Amino acid sequence: MVWVRGGDFLMGSEDFYPEERPVHRVAVDGFWMDTHPVTNSAFRRFVKATGHRTAAELAPDPADYPGADPALLVPGALVFRATSGPVDLGDWRTWWAWVPGADWRHPEGPGSTLHGRDRHPVVQVAYADAVAYAAWAGKTLPSEAEWEYAARGGLEGKVFCWGDDFAPKGRMLANTWQGEFPWQNLLLDRYAGTSPVGAFPANGYGLHDMAGNVWEWTSDYFAPSHPDEAGHPCCVPRNPQVSAPVLAEAIPRRVIKGGSHLCAPNYCLRYRPAARQAEAVDTSTGHIGFRCVIRPAISASG
């Protein structure tokens, strides 16, 4: 872990997606943060020590999914399938498939393995799985404000974790999708799926993979927009968290941050600190992982 010194910053962006608005000043206290997303090898140690079974390894409760096809109410998860050509980007079901038997050990479904991927981020983990790991490790999940502050690495108002130029001098600095999603991946960053943690340079705080590779769970419930800027310096929010559901939904959604290897400019330009997305807490996919933090008060009491 690395120490992220507290401070204030401008959270959000006015230049991209509506849910990132408005830009507003926020303050956070210092905290320790994992230098990279939790890896398959680390998650394996957790499962071995606790016997934890992830959401993807359990059959969904029919009561939670009224009207669902019983054939789909089996253990499984969402797996990405590239298309053979351009498709309607308004229907995510074109490239995501529910695959029975897909889980963290078999990210692409039965027959897939983690061979050679010990240092890759664990995926196919729902929100509760991330929380369970964090509790076992004596840590917690970051708030959205903590995550974004850390991702900026001390650069105020920049588009990316490293500045405003996506690929300085043609150099790829994150694992994202280059080309036309979801069918043409040019592999300019050398990776078709997840990459080993630390394969790309750290940001100004020594944190790797704060952009691309995998989305990361945060502890905040999703709200469609940020709050307005505080009118006076004395009122700047400190350590804000959306700790209760904002929207009336059968399955609550939390904020995920950072984008993934499936984010492309033509569909999901979200490999930026300000970018945010809502994700249902029961969802397990091949492009969502997490990392943990320790706040000094938690460390002192533990």
Side-chain angles (χ1 to χ4, degrees):
M1 305 186 86
V2 297
W3 174 250
V4 178
R5 185 178 180 180
D8 63 90
F9 74 109
L10 290 173
M11 185 173 181
S13 172
E14 301 286 350
D15 301 325
F16 293 91
Y17 299 104
E19 67 272 12
E20 300 170 21
R21 305 169 188 155
V23 173
H24 60 298
R25 189 159 291 279
V26 167
V28 296
D29 294 331
F31 56 93
W32 294 92
M33 187 175 230
D34 289 345
T35 56
H36 54 69
V38 172
T39 62
N40 286 314
S41 60
F43 199 79
R44 184 185 295 114
R45 291 194 295 272
F46 156 64
V47 170
K48 184 177 181 179
T50 64
H52 179 82
R53 296 181 68 194
T54 62
E57 296 172 279
L58 304 172
D61 185 344
D64 293 334
Y65 306 92
D69 182 350
L72 298 178
L73 295 177
V74 296
L78 291 171
V79 174
F80 172 75
R81 299 279 193 252
T83 62
S84 59
V87 295
D88 176 9
L89 295 178
D91 186 1
W92 58 267
R93 293 170 297 183
T94 305
W95 55 84
W96 284 110
W98 172 260
V99 177
D103 57 38
W104 74 272
R105 292 185 181 89
H106 313 96
E108 293 80 47
S112 64
T113 72
L114 297 180
H115 180 70
R117 290 192 274 185
D118 276 359
R119 291 281 296 168
H120 286 232
V122 65
V123 294
Q124 302 296 15
V125 284
Y127 180 76
D129 303 319
V131 169
Y133 174 94
W136 170 77
K139 304 178 183 181
T140 192
L141 295 184
S143 69
E144 180 180 1
E146 288 170 333
W147 198 101
E148 183 169 332
Y149 177 74
R152 292 186 178 278
L155 298 179
E156 182 78 86
K158 296 298 184 180
V159 175
F160 303 107
C161 299
W162 50 84
D164 289 328
D165 186 357
F166 170 61
K169 298 182 179 179
R171 186 185 182 194
M172 296 293 110
L173 297 179
N175 180 0
T176 64
W177 184 289
Q178 302 90 50
E180 292 293 313
F181 182 86
W183 64 279
Q184 179 197 49
N185 192 344
L186 301 177
L187 300 180
L188 300 180
D189 59 10
R190 300 182 295 119
Y191 296 101
T194 59
S195 50
V197 296
F200 295 88
N203 73 359
Y205 290 156
L207 300 166
H208 292 272
D209 294 317
M210 298 300 284
N213 209 359
V214 293
W215 285 98
E216 299 182 15
W217 289 107
T218 73
S219 61
D220 283 43
Y221 285 95
F222 181 78
S225 64
H226 287 309
D228 290 331
E229 174 79 298
H232 303 282
C234 65
C235 305
V236 171
R238 190 169 200 88
N239 302 318
Q241 282 189 271
V242 181
S243 55
V246 173
L247 305 173
E249 300 171 304
I251 299 175
R253 294 185 294 168
R254 303 271 182 167
V255 175
I256 55 175
K257 298 281 283 182
S260 80
H261 61 276
L262 298 179
C263 281
N266 73 309
Y267 178 67
C268 173
L269 208 165
R270 288 188 167 90
Y271 35 84
R272 299 172 289 104
R276 57 199 299 269
Q277 189 161 288
E279 192 63 68
V281 295
D282 65 338
T283 299
S284 303
T285 77
H287 73 332
I288 300 178
F290 67 99
R291 77 178 73 206
C292 303
V293 300
I294 293 178
R295 302 182 187 106
I298 295 175
S299 178
S301 65

